[in-house]
Amino acid sequence: MRLEEIYSAYDKIVQSGYLPYIRCKKCTHTFFYVRHCCPKCGSRDLEVLRSEGIGKVFSWTKIFRKNDTSIYGIVELGEGFKVYCNFTSDVEIGDNVRVKIDSLGDGKYKLLAYKL
Ligand SMILES: [Zn+2]
């Protein structure tokens, strides 16, 4: 797949309210951040799929700023790929979360994780 095709497929899935991801057809490796080839085996035979958006907290950290505190970290989705996202409440490693994605335009996205 060409990068433009991947971004276009991502946009369609995000517009329908789901989290997209990429699966390598050669080695089945899954990943979220857009690339034109598989980071594991280098194949360009990729497909863009729709995630259920359910995963577990892999790691988290609290960021303290002058006027607010935010919780940021990594979620491992059920399909096997990981994403960085903002958590909407306190979490612990292993907690089940739902990840929602919002488009900010220009191929940029905001990921929020809600504790289940
Ligand atoms: Zn691969």
Side-chain angles (χ1 to χ4, degrees), residues 24-29 38-43 46:
C24 174
K25 288 183 179 178
K26 190 176 173 195
C27 77
T28 73
H29 182 64
C38 173
K40 193 172 176 189
C41 76
S43 170
L46 308 173

Side-chain angles (χ1 to χ4, degrees), residues 5-20:
E5 294 172 312
I6 294 173
Y7 280 118
S8 166
Y10 262 51
D11 275 339
K12 277 185 195 146
I13 292 171
V14 172
Q15 297 311 326
S16 68
Y18 288 91
L19 181 69

Side-chain angles (χ1 to χ4, degrees), residues 11 15 32 57 71 90-91 96 100 108-109:
D11 275 339
Q15 297 311 326
F32 174 73
V57 177
I71 307 167
D90 282 328
V91 289
N96 293 312
K100 293 199 172 172
K108 292 180 182 151
Y109 304 102

Side-chain angles (χ1 to χ4, degrees), residues 32-105:
F32 174 73
Y33 297 98
V34 173
R35 294 166 186 222
H36 68 284
C37 63
C38 173
K40 193 172 176 189
C41 76
S43 170
R44 290 181 177 221
D45 194 8
L46 308 173
E47 60 183 341
V48 176
L49 299 170
R50 202 175 84 173
S51 168
E52 294 300 317
I54 305 294
K56 287 183 186 299
V57 177
F58 182 80
S59 70
W60 63 270
T61 188
K62 253 184 194 174
I63 300 167
F64 298 94
R65 292 188 200 91
K66 206 171 186 180
N67 296 314
D68 81 320
T69 300
S70 56
I71 307 167
Y72 186 70
I74 300 172
V75 169
E76 181 167 23
L77 278 299
E79 292 86 1
F81 65 97
K82 295 183 182 89
V83 293
Y84 286 95
C85 50
N86 287 289
F87 294 102
T88 57
S89 63
D90 282 328
V91 289
E92 293 297 334
I93 289 172
D95 281 352
N96 293 312
V97 291
R98 175 183 294 279
V99 176
K100 293 199 172 172
I101 184 167
D102 282 329
S103 177
L104 302 173

